[in-house]
Amino acid sequence: DQQVKQNSPSLSVQEGRISILNCDYTNSMFDYFLWYKKYPAEGPTFLISISSIKDKNEDGRFTVFLNKSAKHLSLHIVPSQPGDSAVYFCAASSTYSGAGSYQLTFGKGTKLSVIP
Amino acid sequence: DSGVTQTPKHLITATGQRVTLRCSPRSGDLSVYWYQQSLDQGLQFLIQYYNGEERAKGNILERFSAQQFPDLHSELNLSSLELGDSALYFCASSVDGRPNNEQFFGPGTRLTVL
């Protein structure tokens, strides 16, 4: 049973436009969410995160929105650039000490292609 | 460069064999995580170590084992290999393993079992 779902395997966007990547989760214990970016032949790199006490977090061109009631988060990239072309993974974790470890549960990823 | 190193980059072996993957965390990081990424799958958490001790286990098979040494490097041992074990194996490290501490990933080891 997938606890973190990225239902779009791929997304193509024109350079300069907005890219919106979506992620849904099912585990109510998750309260910390992250986006990672991965280029071919490299490991994932951290992009941005959000705690469940917030509904929005911005870092430059990247904004993550969290809708707790819908168990949904999204990553907005504005404006999109060709260098943003990569696979984006959504990940979730639980910060409750009783939950044990703080391992990340990842979605399957969305491949973003930004067309010049 | 994340500062996390993994060796080897590529590994080709046969079914039934045993291999060892190695990970050196970033300087100062005490926690090491292992993940498996099979074809068209997300990263699956395998196991976490913190300062030499196992902290959590995920979807790790009994044929797999890991350890973290006093110098904090970690090894993932995969035995009785099957075709389905072919995957990318990533190691990540973080300062202390808490969720709001970023995990830094190594470049991965690509394992091919023939």
Side-chain angles (χ1 to χ4, degrees), chain A residues 75-110:
Chain A
L75 174 68
H76 292 210
I77 306 173
V78 185
S80 301
Q81 299 174 354
D84 296 329
S85 297
V87 177
Y88 289 79
F89 290 98
C90 172
S93 183
S94 172
T95 59
Y96 296 114
S97 60
S101 166
Y102 303 123
Q103 72 265 27
L104 297 175
T105 301
F106 283 85
K108 291 187 178 182
T110 296

Side-chain angles (χ1 to χ4, degrees), chain A residues 32 36 43-44 46 95 101-102 107, chain B residues 42 45 48 56 97 99 102-103 105-106:
Chain A
Y32 192 71
Y36 277 81
F46 170 77
T95 59
S101 166
Y102 303 123
Chain B
F45 169 72
Q48 178 198 3
E102 178 184 344
Q103 291 186 28
F105 282 78

Side-chain angles (χ1 to χ4, degrees), chain A residues 2 31-32 34 36 38 41-47 49 87 89 93-96 100-109, chain B residues 2 9 33 35 37 40-45 48 55-58 88 90 97-108:
Chain A
Q2 262 202 297
D31 60 353
Y32 192 71
L34 309 90
Y36 277 81
K38 184 181 180 305
E42 295 183 11
T45 55
F46 170 77
L47 193 57
S49 64
V87 177
F89 290 98
S93 183
S94 172
T95 59
Y96 296 114
S101 166
Y102 303 123
Q103 72 265 27
L104 297 175
T105 301
F106 283 85
K108 291 187 178 182
Chain B
S2 66
K9 285 186 75 70
Y33 305 77
Y35 293 87
Q37 185 184 18
D40 295 330
Q41 296 291 317
L43 286 82
Q44 301 285 322
F45 169 72
Q48 178 198 3
R55 174 161 279 186
K57 270 185 172 179
L88 266 170
F90 289 102
R98 284 184 291 178
N100 55 346
N101 286 324
E102 178 184 344
Q103 291 186 28
F104 293 85
F105 282 78

Side-chain angles (χ1 to χ4, degrees), chain B residues 24-80:
Chain B
S24 292
R26 288 190 326 153
S27 177
D29 284 358
L30 298 178
S31 196
V32 169
Y33 305 77
W34 285 97
Y35 293 87
Q36 178 193 56
Q37 185 184 18
S38 302
L39 192 64
D40 295 330
Q41 296 291 317
L43 286 82
Q44 301 285 322
F45 169 72
L46 295 178
I47 196 163
Q48 178 198 3
Y49 280 84
Y50 175 74
N51 204 19
E53 295 193 1
E54 182 184 304
R55 174 161 279 186
K57 270 185 172 179
N59 300 321
I60 188 166
L61 299 172
E62 285 193 14
R63 300 183 285 109
F64 297 180
S65 65
Q67 54 183 325
Q68 185 179 28
F69 294 86
D71 67 353
L72 300 178
H73 92 270
S74 178
E75 292 180 357
L76 178 67
N77 301 297
L78 315 176
S79 61
S80 303

